[in-house]
Amino acid sequence: MQADYVIVGAGSAGCVLANRLTEDPNTHVILLEAGGKDTNPYIHIPAGYMKLLDHPKVTWGYKADKDSGLNGREIPYPRGKVLGGSSSINGMIYIRSQPEDYDHWAQMGNRGWDAASTFPYFRKAENWEGPADEVHAKGGPLFTSQNRDKPELCEIAIEAGQQMGWAYREDLNDLPHGLGDHIGWVQQTRGGRFRASTARSYLRPAMGRANLRVITNALVHRIVLEGKRAVGVEFSRDGSTHRADAGGEVILSGGAIGSPHILQLSGIGDPDHLSGIGIDTQHALKGVGKNFQDHFIVRVQAEVQNIATLNERSRGLRFAAELMKYAFNGTGMLTYAASLLAASVKVLPESATPDVQALFASASFALGPKRVLDTKPGMTSGVWQMRPESRGCVEAKSADPREQPVINPNYMAEDRDRRTVIAGLRKVREWFNTPALRQYLVTETFPGVDVQTDDEFLAYAREIGSTVFHATCSCKMGSDSLSVVDDRLCVYGMEGLRVIDASVMPAVTSTNTNAPTIMIAEKGADMIKEDAQRRHEAAA
C-alpha cells in the first residue's frame, strides 16, 4: 500500500493531520492506529473518562518506572490506544495555557512558535458554542464549550479564591501577558452532550474521503529507511506484517511515549542506548526520548457538610435523576470535565508568573489514580507545578515493539520542583480555610492536619502524587544537542520524516496539554503543505 503521507497514530495530533492533509483530494494519506475504533460508549459520555483511565482495550496499560521518584511506586500511566488517542480518554479540559509559554518556545530558537504566531491556530481549530469573538472562533472542527451547570460549592470556591486575592477571569483562554493570580471556570472539548475527541471532531468528517485510508489495530514496528530517508512504515495486523510506503513523508504522531519509542525501534536515537538493547544505529540522534516532561499532581481533600457535592449525586435516586438530566437535556454531572474550575497562582517569590495550577472539584475520591467517589460529601483540589525543571526519559527496553518502553518522568528531582509542590499544597490548604469555604469544612482528610513540616508534605507527595497525563517534550523542537526536530518539525539529519505531537514541545505548557497539541498539529499541517508546495515549484 502506498500514499503521499503515512501518519503513525490516530490520536490528538494524528486525526488533525489526517483531516487537514486530505482537504486536497489529490493528496493521499494512510493513517495507522494501534488501537481499535472508538465504539466504547464511555468514550462519548463526558464523565465516562473515569471508567477509561485503566481500560485494557482503549489504553496501552503503561506504568511509570519504579525509579520515577515516587518511593518505588510504578504508577499507572494512561495513554489512549484507540481512535482519538488520549483525546478519547482524557478529562476534556480545554485550556490554551499562558502566552508566556509560547514566547519561551520562540526564545529557545523556535521561529514562529511565539504566542502571537500560535494563537491563530487555536482559533482555526475551534468551533466555540458561543458567538465568535477576538478569542474564540466558530466553524472549526473542534467543539469547545462552557459547562452550564455551576455547582454551589464551586461558586463558593471562586469566592474563596477572591478572598485569597486571586482575580476572577470570565474566560481562562483570554489571558494577557503578565497576568497574576487568577481563578475561573474551565472550558471543555465537548459538543452538546458528547465528548469532542479529535476522532469525532477531525477524523470522522474526513473518513468519507476517497484519499484517506484508516487502518486500526496496526502496531508499528519500525520506520522503513533508505539511507537517511524515511520511505515507509512496517506494521503488524491480524498476525501478518505489512508495509505502508510514503511517497512524500512519514509523520510520527504517536505522542510523547510512542514517537520516541518508534524512532528508537527504527535505529534513530542515542547510539549508546541503542547498542545496549541490540538495535543497530541507523541515525545517531542522542536527544530521542530525552527531555521528557510531565505535570505531577497531588491532591488536597476535605470532608464538608451542609452543602451538596457530587459524591451524593453519584448514588441511588440522585444518580437516577442525573441519568434523566443527561438523557433528556444533555446536562448534569455526566457532562462534567475532570474539573469545572481552575486557579493559577504564584507560590514561589522568584516566579515571574503563576507557577502552580490548582483544579477544584465539588467531590472527593478514594486515594489512587482511579476516580472512585467517596461516600461522604467532600471537595478536592489537585495541584501541580506548571513548569517543572526535572527531566526524565522514554527508552525502548528491547527491539520488540510489543514491550513497554521505560517511562521515567523523574518527578521532583530538582530542588525548585520540590519547593513548588510543597508551597502549592500549603496554598491549597490556605484556600480551603478561607472564610467562604471554612464554614462548610469538617476536616482535611488528605494530607490531613497532622502534616505540617516541609518534609512531611514532600513525603506525602511522593507517596500519593501521580501523573496529570501531560506527557510531553521527548522529541523536543529546538537547535541544541538534545533537539530531535527543527522548527518545521522535521527530524534532524533525516529526509521525509517529521514528528508532530506533544513530544515536540521544547518545554511543557503551564496547564493542560491537549489544546496545545491540537494547535501543534494544525500548524504542522500547514507547514507540510507549504513545504510540499515549495518542492513542487522547485521541480517545475
Side-chain angles (χ1 to χ4, degrees):
M1 64 189 75
Q2 185 167 3
D4 298 300
Y5 300 100
V6 175
I7 303 169
V8 178
S12 298
C15 290
V16 175
L17 294 167
N19 179 300
R20 293 306 190 188
L21 295 179
T22 57
E23 289 175 333
D24 178 355
N26 296 314
T27 298
H28 289 81
V29 171
I30 293 172
L31 176 64
L32 302 174
E33 168 54 41
K37 296 179 179 179
D38 57 337
T39 53
N40 188 305
Y42 284 125
I43 290 174
H44 305 288
I45 299 170
Y49 81 92
M50 296 172 67
K51 301 286 188 180
L52 298 174
L53 295 179
D54 62 346
H55 196 286
K57 290 188 177 180
V58 301
T59 73
W60 286 89
Y62 289 147
K63 290 186 180 295
D65 190 75
K66 61 183 174 60
D67 293 324
S68 296
L70 304 182
N71 294 345
R73 291 187 296 132
E74 295 179 300
I75 62 170
Y77 209 85
R79 297 282 90 194
K81 186 182 180 184
V82 64
L83 290 180
S86 293
S87 77
S88 288
I89 68 167
N90 69 6
M92 300 176 303
I93 293 176
Y94 178 78
I95 297 182
R96 299 173 182 174
S97 207
Q98 297 176 17
E100 287 87 352
D101 294 340
Y102 306 106
D103 290 343
H104 182 217
W105 290 5
Q107 289 160 6
M108 296 168 75
N110 299 298
R111 298 162 299 175
W113 290 92
D114 56 279
S117 300
T118 55
F119 175 71
Y121 288 100
F122 285 109
R123 298 190 83 253
K124 181 179 182 180
E126 192 175 27
N127 188 12
W128 175 239
E129 69 170 1
D133 55 27
E134 293 182 354
V135 177
H136 295 285
K138 297 190 75 69
L142 182 67
F143 298 102
T144 57
S145 61
Q146 191 85 266
N147 201 296
R148 286 177 283 172
D149 188 357
K150 293 180 167 56
E152 183 185 6
L153 187 54
C154 290
E155 296 270 18
I156 292 165
I158 289 177
E159 179 186 350
Q162 292 174 303
Q163 290 175 349
M164 295 278 291
W166 307 343
Y168 172 69
R169 296 293 299 184
E170 186 68 32
D171 188 340
L172 288 183
N173 284 314
D174 182 13
L175 302 182
H177 285 79
L179 182 64
D181 298 349
H182 58 277
I183 189 170
W185 299 98
V186 303
Q187 294 159 21
Q188 301 173 261
T189 47
R190 175 176 56 82
R193 70 186 64 207
F194 298 119
R195 171 194 293 273
S197 67
T198 55
R200 176 190 174 194
S201 297
Y202 282 91
L203 186 58
R204 196 149 295 128
M207 290 280 275
R209 297 172 185 166
N211 56 334
L212 173 63
R213 182 176 182 182
V214 180
I215 304 176
T216 55
N217 302 304
L219 180 67
V220 170
H221 292 204
R222 65 184 181 98
I223 303 162
V224 180
L225 303 175
E226 290 183 357
K228 298 295 185 180
R229 180 170 186 85
V231 297
V233 169
E234 181 185 282
F235 66 96
S236 59
R237 187 173 190 268
D238 297 331
S240 300
T241 301
H242 306 268
R243 175 168 162 169
D245 292 319
E249 296 183 18
V250 172
I251 305 163
L252 295 186
S253 295
I257 309 301
S259 288
H261 190 211
I262 292 168
L263 287 171
Q264 292 163 356
L265 293 173
S266 308
I268 302 172
D270 184 340
D272 291 339
H273 165 235
L274 297 178
S275 64
I277 59 173
I279 295 177
D280 293 334
T281 299
Q282 305 299 320
H283 178 60
L285 201 58
K286 70 177 185 178
V288 173
K290 306 291 196 303
N291 192 54
F292 182 50
Q293 297 170 44
D294 187 17
H295 288 139
F296 174 67
I297 192 167
V298 189
R299 297 180 196 163
V300 177
Q301 293 191 170
E303 182 183 341
V304 298
Q305 62 185 355
N306 302 325
I307 194 165
T309 74
L310 297 187
N311 296 6
E312 310 91 80
R313 290 166 65 182
S314 67
R315 293 175 173 83
L317 292 177
R318 292 182 182 178
F319 185 63
E322 292 295 329
L323 291 172
M324 298 295 284
K325 281 185 194 177
Y326 183 76
F328 290 102
N329 301 320
T331 60
M333 66 181 289
L334 294 183
T335 66
Y336 287 6
S339 177
L340 298 186
L341 65 92
S344 297
V345 299
K346 187 174 82 165
V347 298
L348 294 186
E350 63 265 35
S351 297
T353 60
D355 50 16
V356 155
Q357 179 87 337
L359 301 178
F360 182 89
S362 58
S364 57
F365 308 89
L367 286 183
K370 296 183 181 181
R371 292 295 187 98
V372 180
L373 289 165
D374 283 339
T375 55
K376 294 181 178 180
M379 61 182 177
T380 301
S381 177
V383 59
W384 74 75
Q385 178 190 15
M386 288 179 161
R387 300 180 186 88
E389 294 185 351
S390 301
R391 300 290 183 266
C393 65
V394 176
E395 292 183 339
K397 292 179 182 176
S398 72
D400 185 353
R402 296 169 184 82
E403 185 174 13
Q404 178 195 310
V406 172
I407 301 170
N408 187 347
N410 200 25
Y411 294 124
M412 298 188 294
E414 299 296 328
D415 176 68
R416 183 186 177 96
D417 297 0
R418 296 189 290 272
R419 290 190 294 115
T420 305
V421 168
I422 292 165
L425 290 169
R426 290 188 184 279
K427 184 67 71 173
V428 170
R429 175 177 283 178
E430 186 181 350
W431 183 19
F432 280 12
N433 279 276
T434 54
L437 282 173
R438 192 171 57 237
Q439 60 183 314
Y440 303 102
L441 182 65
V442 176
T443 187
E444 180 184 291
T445 51
F446 297 106
V449 294
D450 291 341
V451 173
Q452 293 291 334
T453 69
D454 286 357
D455 287 346
E456 288 169 342
F457 273 112
L458 185 60
Y460 170 75
R462 291 198 190 280
E463 190 60 34
I464 301 300
S466 190
T467 175
V468 197
F469 325 122
H470 296 169
T472 52
C473 305
S474 52
C475 296
K476 71 173 285 190
M477 168 174 53
S479 56
D480 65 10
S481 62
L482 289 182
S483 296
V484 175
V485 300
D486 61 20
D487 54 21
R488 303 291 292 179
L489 308 182
C490 299
V491 175
Y492 277 111
M494 297 294 299
E495 295 180 13
L497 181 60
R498 293 191 209 232
V499 181
I500 303 180
D501 55 30
S503 72
V504 305
M505 294 184 187
V508 65
T509 52
S510 302
T511 53
N512 302 73
T513 53
N514 189 242
T517 301
I518 293 168
M519 176 276 291
I520 289 169
E522 285 278 13
K523 188 171 174 65
D526 270 4
M527 289 176 168
I528 292 170
K529 293 178 179 179
E530 291 163 3
D531 292 349
Q533 182 63 29
R534 290 192 190 101
R535 289 193 296 269
H536 176 76
E537 291 172 353

